[in-house]
Amino acid sequence: MSERVKVLIVEPSLILVEGLRKTLNQTENFNPLSSISDIQHLREHVSMVRPNIVILNPTLFPQVVKNFSFILENSSITWFALQYQYVESRILRLFHGVVDIREHPAHILQKLVEIHETTQQIAPLTDNYELSDRETDVLICLSQGCSSKEIADQLNISVHTVNSHRKNITRKTGIKSVAGLAVYATLNNLLER
Amino acid sequence: MKELLFLERSKLADLIAANYNLILMLPRFGISLGFGDKSVREICENHNVPTDFFLFICSIYSSHSFIPSREMITTMDMRFLLPYLLSSHRYYKEERLPHIEKNLHVIIGQSDEKYSETILHFFNEYKEEMKEHFLHEEEHVFPHLQALQEGFADNSYRIGNFALSHSNIEDKLNDLIQIIFKYFPGNVYPNQSIELVFDLLRFSYDLDKHKFIEEKVLVPYVEHLERRLS
């Protein structure tokens, strides 16, 4: 990543915010913006400071999932759920990824970079058209007739991430239909592994 | 008629020299090769084709940027639209698809059964979807157009119901091209493989234009008739 990625944290606990900011500052990759503690003006704030990544505590949202997916649809942003309380899995799946505070800071950083690159289709090397291992996994599941949701469950990733992998597979192979991808998988002997 | 790309008095041979893809649509107007140095108007008159409409289709086939205006669609003699679309369908179903299928069989014939079966299965699915799509138009859209053109307010169908479901079929044809072109080993029948890819690309070009005519000419024209007769 050439430019520093702007990260907005939406979380009421100052302790957690400080911890996250410190973690983000461990590398040159991230530029933590000043955090906000509630979601009241989230939409306006986001359009003003234009973050690349938002790490957000999903419990800040009162039951209104619909409202929520509206915000998450802003596709230039990679959304992460900040998880330390109980959150329903169907809500977690709305996010591109989950930051679990029990994870090691280095692991959290790695996850932020990986998922952000996938969702924003930033090819790590522009001339790399080989499918990655994860993309191959997704391709195999697709060829076997699984839906995006089934793949998400099976590979333990969000539906958003599955869809990003699908976009990347199509970008790399030029093949759009699921039936066409199944032919590709057969010709490349991927279904025998 | 203003804004068309060609003139009635141009030589048909010159039009085709400028864009050889036009040869594809001549048979759909019942025009065969060997027309000598006659002008477009002469040839159209000999074949009972409205010259404006012929030049209109030529313009669509020749340029990406030619957009039919409302005025053109509502003032032009459109009697030939339906026969034209029908004979395009016939050409795709009875000539193009069987031809492509035959060549596909040749080039995959020598390969591992597992590969050839997958590709054939994919092709057959594509072919069936394509035929279904044509059939829907022939059973619902075209009779509706015919009734309207004959002056009946046909309320049994509305062109607004015409789901333009071309996109999925296009994707599959594109996928077939990608597969044959990049991923299927072409070393057993190199010449036939190249020929097949050319055939597929030309077919895809032709279908794009066909889709364009349906979306930008057929739909607004039928809407216009529906409004006029209701």
Side-chain angles (χ1 to χ4, degrees):
Chain A
M1 280 181 280
S2 48
E3 269 177 58
R4 296 209 311 166
V5 175
K6 291 193 278 184
V7 185
L8 174 67
I9 302 167
V10 187
E11 162 61 41
S13 156
L14 289 177
I15 288 274
L16 278 175
V17 171
E18 270 316 298
L20 272 172
R21 294 178 67 90
K22 207 164 169 229
T23 306
L24 291 170
N25 278 327
Q26 283 175 6
T27 74
E28 293 285 292
N29 290 340
F30 296 108
N31 169 18
L33 305 167
S34 33
S35 61
I36 53 177
S37 57
D38 61 60
I39 55 164
Q40 225 179 342
H41 303 292
L42 177 62
R43 203 180 302 162
E44 294 79 1
H45 195 77
V46 161
S47 61
M48 213 165 58
V49 300
R50 300 187 172 281
N52 307 105
I53 291 179
V54 176
I55 304 175
L56 177 150
N57 182 341
T59 60
L60 288 172
F61 280 92
Q63 311 305 318
V64 200
V65 178
K66 226 167 124 195
N67 208 341
F68 201 17
S69 43
F70 177 79
I71 295 173
L72 295 182
E73 268 164 22
N74 188 334
S75 61
S76 58
I77 297 172
T78 311
W79 297 85
F80 286 87
L82 179 59
Q83 192 188 16
Y84 57 94
Q85 287 147 300
Y86 169 77
V87 181
E88 272 184 69
S89 59
R90 77 190 163 97
I91 292 183
L92 287 182
R93 281 211 198 86
L94 295 168
F95 291 81
H96 295 109
V98 175
V99 170
D100 188 325
I101 61 156
R102 292 163 302 188
E103 280 172 295
H104 191 273
H107 187 207
I108 291 178
L109 286 175
Q110 188 194 347
K111 205 163 162 186
L112 287 175
V113 172
E114 267 178 22
I115 296 182
H116 181 60
E117 280 181 348
T118 314
T119 50
Q120 302 304 323
Q121 297 191 25
I122 302 163
L125 282 168
T126 41
D127 50 359
N128 180 10
Y129 292 108
E130 296 287 314
L131 296 187
S132 71
D133 289 348
R134 209 46 159 172
E135 284 159 0
T136 308
D137 292 340
V138 171
L139 175 67
I140 291 169
C141 294
L142 278 174
S143 307
Q144 289 162 344
C146 298
S147 68
S148 287
K149 199 188 159 302
E150 285 165 343
I151 298 171
D153 290 343
Q154 208 170 321
L155 302 180
N156 211 7
I157 51 183
S158 78
V159 175
H160 277 290
T161 310
V162 174
N163 289 336
S164 304
H165 283 308
R166 288 183 66 162
K167 274 188 212 154
N168 285 336
I169 294 168
T170 294
R171 182 172 54 83
K172 289 179 179 176
T173 60
I175 299 174
K176 288 182 190 157
S177 68
V178 173
L181 289 171
V183 177
Y184 172 89
T186 309
L187 289 180
N188 288 289
N189 301 320
L190 297 176
L191 301 180
E192 288 152 20
R193 302 203 291 189
Chain B
M1 163 106 5
K2 55 166 192 173
E3 298 170 72
L4 290 178
L5 301 180
F6 307 105
L7 302 171
E8 307 187 341
R9 60 168 192 275
S10 317
K11 264 177 22 177
L12 181 57
D14 288 346
L15 250 68
I16 289 170
N19 176 14
Y20 57 82
N21 279 315
L22 292 179
I23 288 188
L24 282 175
M25 32 127 310
L26 290 183
R28 296 170 212 176
F29 288 100
I31 302 170
S32 36
L33 297 183
F35 38 74
D37 292 308
K38 294 198 185 89
S39 71
V40 170
R41 183 177 23 200
E42 266 179 286
I43 293 171
C44 284
E45 279 170 3
N46 289 344
H47 290 86
N48 268 329
V49 174
T51 312
D52 276 354
F53 183 74
F54 179 80
L55 289 174
F56 180 61
I57 299 292
C58 287
S59 304
I60 291 174
Y61 263 79
S62 299
S63 163
H64 290 302
S65 51
F66 177 78
I67 310 285
S69 70
R70 233 196 117 61
E71 189 212 337
M72 275 183 202
I73 291 168
T74 51
T75 56
M76 195 178 299
D77 180 349
M78 285 286 190
R79 275 172 307 163
F80 223 88
L81 178 61
L82 184 54
Y84 174 82
L85 292 173
L86 271 173
S87 72
S88 298
H89 280 190
R90 226 177 2 251
Y91 172 70
Y92 300 144
K93 284 187 296 190
E94 292 169 16
E95 292 186 39
R96 275 299 89 194
L97 281 168
H99 177 79
I100 286 169
E101 188 169 9
K102 203 178 99 205
N103 286 348
L104 185 65
H105 274 281
V106 172
I107 74 157
I108 65 178
Q110 295 295 316
S111 71
D112 192 322
E113 206 171 292
K114 184 181 67 184
Y115 299 155
S116 57
E117 265 175 21
T118 327
I119 293 185
L120 273 188
H121 177 72
F122 182 78
F123 180 79
N124 286 332
E125 253 182 28
Y126 167 72
K127 197 174 69 179
E128 287 315 310
E129 275 175 41
M130 193 80 188
K131 286 185 172 168
E132 223 167 273
H133 175 79
F134 288 149
L135 192 67
H136 172 81
E137 290 176 2
E138 286 161 20
E139 284 183 346
H140 301 281
V141 186
F142 295 175
H144 180 58
L145 168 62
Q146 191 168 9
L148 293 169
Q149 278 184 321
E150 288 167 1
F152 301 112
D154 173 23
N155 291 322
S156 61
Y157 187 86
R158 290 270 134 185
I159 195 70
N161 303 343
F162 178 38
L164 289 164
S165 55
H166 288 103
S167 61
N168 194 24
I169 313 184
E170 271 167 54
D171 284 354
K172 283 205 167 159
L173 179 58
N174 168 68
D175 291 352
L176 186 64
I177 295 172
Q178 299 289 331
I179 287 164
I180 300 291
F181 169 44
K182 299 194 301 197
Y183 303 117
F184 189 77
N187 47 9
V188 185
Y189 292 104
N191 297 340
Q192 283 91 335
S193 296
I194 289 174
E195 218 171 285
L196 178 64
V197 171
F198 262 122
D199 277 341
L200 288 169
L201 289 169
R202 204 175 65 193
F203 187 42
S204 157
Y205 170 87
D206 201 348
L207 285 175
D208 271 352
K209 294 297 182 186
H210 181 72
K211 177 188 165 205
F212 184 89
I213 293 170
E214 289 188 339
E215 288 177 358
K216 306 286 183 214
V217 182
L218 175 71
V219 171
Y221 176 60
V222 172
E223 274 169 356
H224 160 73
L225 292 181
E226 283 175 351
R227 266 198 301 272
R228 214 179 55 184
L229 289 167
S230 64

